[in-house]
Amino acid sequence: MQRGNSIRSISSREASTMGSGYVIDSGFYMTSFAVIVFLVALVTAGMLLITVMIALTVLLQSCQNKSAGPIQLERANREYTYCKIFVSHAEINSLGVDQFPEICKAHAIQYIEEGQYLQDLNLTIEMANNYFSNIKPKVDGLDVILMDIDDIFTSILAHHNYEYQYRFNLGQQDKQADAVKHPLHRALVALHMTLQADGWSLVFFTLKSEEEKEDTVHTLLSAGYGGWSSLIMRSADELEMESWEYLSTRRAELHKQGLHINSVISSHLYALTGPFLGKHNFKLPSLIYSKKEEHFQNRMPST
């Protein structure tokens, strides 16, 4: 009887103990509190692992972006350098816009729209003004400066396009639009007036035919370019000549007349090629311009 009660007592205590704990098959005993702590720790470790994986993923992507940045920059610099060289090549060989690679057309538009062209133009004109401010023409009037009016016609066209957009696209009043001057037009007019005020004799030259002389003179005077000493235009015999040859021949004629060419100002390389150039010539930055593809001309800078 006592042994039986003892056995029941032990069984009862075991049953009571099982109500507040667990026995693992291996024989490891855990209380309910320990199980909860274990589960919380397990969940926490899982969350930490996920957090570490996310952090590593973000870090990897950041490293990839950082490594891609220099590569893209290097590629952009290479494209810019290539297109810059191609522009010089195009000027030497008188290539049209249709012969430009597509990537260079994009760079040409960017060059204009981002204001780099206008900055280059202003710096070139500033250098010209600094040069001419330190020298004076002789009183005999034989010191001359040759100016390319094809650049002037480009500026006039740009001015009219800008004025049209200002007047009709932006809905401003006519008298306000009349006061607007396109930056290219304004820069060349200012240079022209400065040279005249300093007493220089200006010789205008163009690739246009003499048959267009009346319209050419009218356009120049209307745009504010007056007071030149002479205007050089192609004769019928010169229409088939290369541009550089035609201009070289005309400069030689001026030299024979006793005129001293102090400077030639043009954005075209053919105008700055050959004999009888000035002592100090100035090449204005080039605009990619074509009568067949005027989308380049229509993107002229407006500020």
Side-chain angles (χ1 to χ4, degrees):
M1 290 287 293
Q2 292 178 352
R3 180 187 298 177
N5 290 337
S6 178
I7 293 173
R8 282 195 298 270
S9 178
I10 293 173
S11 300
S12 177
R13 285 196 301 269
E14 289 178 350
S16 176
T17 305
M18 289 295 292
S20 61
Y22 300 91
V23 177
I24 308 302
D25 291 340
S26 62
F28 183 74
Y29 175 78
M30 294 181 64
T31 65
S32 59
F33 177 76
V35 171
I36 294 173
V37 172
F38 175 76
L39 292 176
V40 170
L42 185 63
V43 171
T44 303
M47 293 180 64
L48 288 174
L49 180 61
I50 294 173
T51 303
V52 171
M53 291 180 63
I54 294 175
L56 289 175
T57 303
V58 172
L59 182 61
L60 179 61
Q61 290 178 347
S62 177
C63 292
Q64 289 176 342
N65 292 336
K66 288 181 179 180
S67 62
I71 294 174
Q72 292 175 352
L73 181 60
E74 182 181 356
R75 184 182 303 166
N77 289 338
R78 185 179 183 280
E79 289 176 355
Y80 174 79
T81 303
Y82 171 79
C83 292
K84 185 177 180 180
I85 294 173
F86 190 90
V87 168
S88 300
H89 173 78
E91 287 183 322
I92 294 173
N93 295 279
S94 301
L95 301 182
V97 177
D98 55 334
Q99 295 173 280
F100 271 63
E102 286 299 324
I103 185 63
C104 292
K105 291 181 181 181
H107 277 282
I109 293 173
Q110 183 180 7
Y111 174 67
I112 295 170
E113 288 186 337
E114 294 187 355
Q116 187 61 48
Y117 165 75
L118 186 59
Q119 181 178 342
D120 292 348
L121 175 68
N122 289 333
L123 288 174
T124 305
I125 291 180
E126 181 181 346
M127 285 190 288
N129 284 328
N130 290 338
Y131 170 74
F132 290 116
S133 65
N134 293 320
I135 60 174
K136 297 296 179 183
K138 296 179 180 179
V139 294
D140 56 13
L142 297 179
D143 289 339
V144 299
I145 296 174
L146 272 60
M147 290 189 68
D148 189 347
I149 63 170
D150 291 332
D151 290 324
I152 292 176
F153 278 111
T154 300
S155 75
I156 293 172
L157 190 58
H159 164 61
H160 288 316
N161 284 345
Y162 177 57
E163 184 174 292
Y164 175 86
Q165 294 173 3
Y166 186 88
R167 188 180 295 178
F168 295 101
N169 292 353
L170 301 182
Q172 301 295 329
Q173 297 296 323
D174 286 0
K175 63 181 181 180
Q176 289 178 308
D178 290 339
V180 173
K181 295 293 185 181
H182 190 282
L184 174 59
H185 179 73
R186 183 173 63 245
L188 291 181
V189 168
L191 176 62
H192 169 260
M193 295 178 65
T194 299
L195 295 177
Q196 279 194 322
D198 289 342
W200 290 98
S201 297
L202 301 180
V203 176
F204 284 173
F205 65 88
T206 176
L207 299 184
K208 293 178 178 290
S209 168
E210 289 179 345
E211 296 179 354
E212 303 177 70
K213 185 172 184 178
E214 184 176 348
D215 291 338
T216 300
V217 171
H218 174 73
T219 302
L220 287 171
L221 294 177
S222 300
Y225 298 92
W228 65 84
S229 60
S230 62
L231 176 61
I232 298 175
M233 305 186 73
R234 284 184 191 252
S235 64
D237 297 334
E238 294 172 324
L239 292 177
E240 300 300 323
M241 296 175 64
E242 294 288 340
S243 300
W244 70 269
E245 184 181 6
Y246 147 68
L247 293 173
S248 295
T249 302
R250 289 305 190 98
R251 290 197 302 268
E253 291 177 0
L254 295 176
H255 182 74
K256 289 180 180 179
Q257 295 172 12
L259 297 177
H260 306 295
I261 300 175
N262 188 279
S263 181
V264 179
I265 302 175
S266 174
S267 69
H268 301 103
L269 200 59
Y270 58 72
L272 303 168
T273 304
F276 302 107
L277 292 171
K279 298 177 182 178
H280 197 130
N281 306 299
F282 294 93
K283 185 184 183 303
L284 303 177
S286 300
L287 275 173
I288 299 177
Y289 173 77
S290 171
K291 293 181 179 179
K292 295 181 181 180
E293 295 188 44
E294 294 185 351
H295 58 282
F296 283 96
Q297 162 221 313
N298 291 333
R299 292 178 179 268
M300 301 283 285
S302 58
T303 57

